[in-house]
Amino acid sequence: MIDLIELIYEAAFVPERWNHVLQKASELSNSASAQVFFFSDDSPPRGTTLDNLRALFDEFVKGDFWKFCDSVQKMCSLQPASFVRVDDFMSQQEIERDPARIMLRQFGIGAHLCTAIPMPTGELATFVFQKWIKDGGYEHGEVDRLDGLRPHLARASLVAGRLRVERAEATASALNLLGLPAAVLSSNGRVVATNPHLDRLDAAFLPVAHGGLAIADRDANRLFQEAVTGMSRSGNAVGSIPVPKIGDEAPFVIHLLPLRRAAHDIFGNADMLVMATPVKPSALVPSASLLNALFDLTPAEARLATDLAAGLTLAQSASRHGVTVKSARTYLERVFQKTGTHQQSQLVAMLKTMQPLVSQAR
């Protein structure tokens, strides 16, 4: 699993590695094939597939074919925050008439799994896995194994979506292709390189001793420094940190990604990428979905977080959604882990920096 996670982060910068990611993830879930798609409001879908469905994939992304597929429209609308069985959300009639499913059945493909990952930049990444008809449906363990990869797929997809599946050949070209404020750091937090977008945010990002980087907001900087230290020590850290309005700068979210394998070489042996993304809802990716995606919250966790930010108590939120207080406490602990907070007051203060998202997510 660790090797596959490293491969996922490598694929963020080396697009031809996505096929290896899909192949390894397919083996992990006993799938016949898999695809990754990037959807946006103003351009055709992009992405890649395993070679055994290449011809069908090319037909799917050509023209407007994908717009007439019920399965695609349902998943883009639902934007599931975990891997789900697509057939659970379709009637038998819809499955039978869906143009993509007709083509796939002729090829021997049956059950589908899908997850959608909304990007703060307005794009939507979807990962789809399929089984041969002869192998039946997906078992719980197979779905759980893919869900374990989802946070890593989300962060890698954000970079891949920005690079538009172009290969980044060197530090300067990679940082510039991102088109967002970005820097690469060594394992001890020293800045190796920045791009002009980040240099212009001199009110928000501050140089510190020994060549390090800090954020002007105290709470965001605490989370950021903890994340940098955690990533350098174990490769695991809170991956998304909200930053409130600083001076004339609008609020944004910082993402940290480990640089692995070929990506490590591209960035001159730097160890992590720091990228600041504006929160930009679109017709395809509404604000409510972004709150879930930014911190990889499940729908239940996101509902609890937004209730607390709106002033409800834990007990009131539990009652509102028909769960026990014990379950709500479990959700809260998971939210703490995913957001890097330790107390309810910290969580509420952090979420209030993203108030437009919280308000619309309710």
Side-chain angles (χ1 to χ4, degrees), residues 141-330:
E142 295 167 338
V143 179
D144 290 342
R145 287 194 285 274
L146 289 179
D147 274 334
L149 298 175
R150 191 179 183 277
H152 309 291
L153 293 171
R155 294 183 190 112
S157 297
L158 175 59
V159 171
R162 293 302 303 179
L163 294 179
R164 296 193 175 275
V165 202
E166 296 179 65
R167 181 176 179 132
E169 298 291 354
T171 301
S173 65
L175 290 179
N176 288 332
L177 279 170
L178 286 171
L180 293 170
V184 287
L185 310 182
S186 64
S187 60
N188 62 5
R190 182 178 62 83
V191 176
V192 175
T194 62
N195 66 9
H197 301 286
L198 186 129
D199 295 337
R200 286 192 287 268
L201 294 178
D202 54 1
F205 289 95
L206 308 175
V208 294
H210 309 296
L213 189 67
I215 301 169
D217 180 79
R218 184 186 62 183
D219 291 334
N221 187 58
R222 175 184 60 80
L223 289 176
F224 177 66
Q225 301 303 331
E226 289 176 358
V228 170
T229 300
M231 187 165 289
S232 63
R233 288 178 178 173
S234 64
N236 296 315
V238 174
S240 302
I241 300 166
V243 179
K245 179 180 175 64
I246 298 175
D248 296 331
E249 301 298 338
F252 56 89
V253 178
I254 292 176
H255 299 273
L256 284 85
L257 287 84
L259 298 174
R260 298 292 185 259
R261 304 188 184 202
H264 185 68
D265 298 332
I266 288 169
F267 286 101
N269 296 323
D271 295 287
M272 66 192 84
L273 172 75
V274 175
M275 184 168 58
T277 60
V279 178
K280 182 184 174 184
S282 68
L284 184 64
V285 181
S287 295
S289 299
L290 287 177
L291 184 62
N292 296 33
L294 288 172
F295 303 104
D296 197 50
L297 301 182
T298 66
E301 292 163 358
R303 285 193 295 269
L304 173 63
T306 54
D307 282 350
L308 296 177
L312 273 66
T313 66
L314 193 72
Q316 288 171 330
S317 179
S319 175
R320 179 183 183 190
H321 299 292
V323 300
T324 65
V325 174
K326 182 178 179 181
S327 294
R329 287 200 184 98
T330 299

Side-chain angles (χ1 to χ4, degrees), residues 53-109:
L53 291 184
R54 174 65 58 185
L56 298 183
F57 177 88
D58 292 343
E59 180 69 22
F60 176 81
V61 298
K62 183 173 62 178
D64 292 335
F65 178 86
W66 62 277
K67 294 181 179 179
F68 300 98
C69 300
D70 288 338
S71 55
V72 177
Q73 298 306 316
K74 281 184 179 291
M75 290 298 103
C76 285
S77 175
L78 179 65
Q79 298 184 10
S82 61
F83 277 94
V84 298
R85 298 172 180 84
V86 177
D87 290 3
D88 289 347
F89 300 89
M90 299 178 67
S91 67
Q92 191 59 42
Q93 184 180 20
E94 287 173 328
I95 295 171
E96 292 295 329
R97 75 186 183 199
D98 186 285
R101 298 298 292 270
I102 292 172
M103 295 171 62
L104 289 165
R105 279 196 298 274
Q106 293 172 348
F107 195 75
I109 293 291

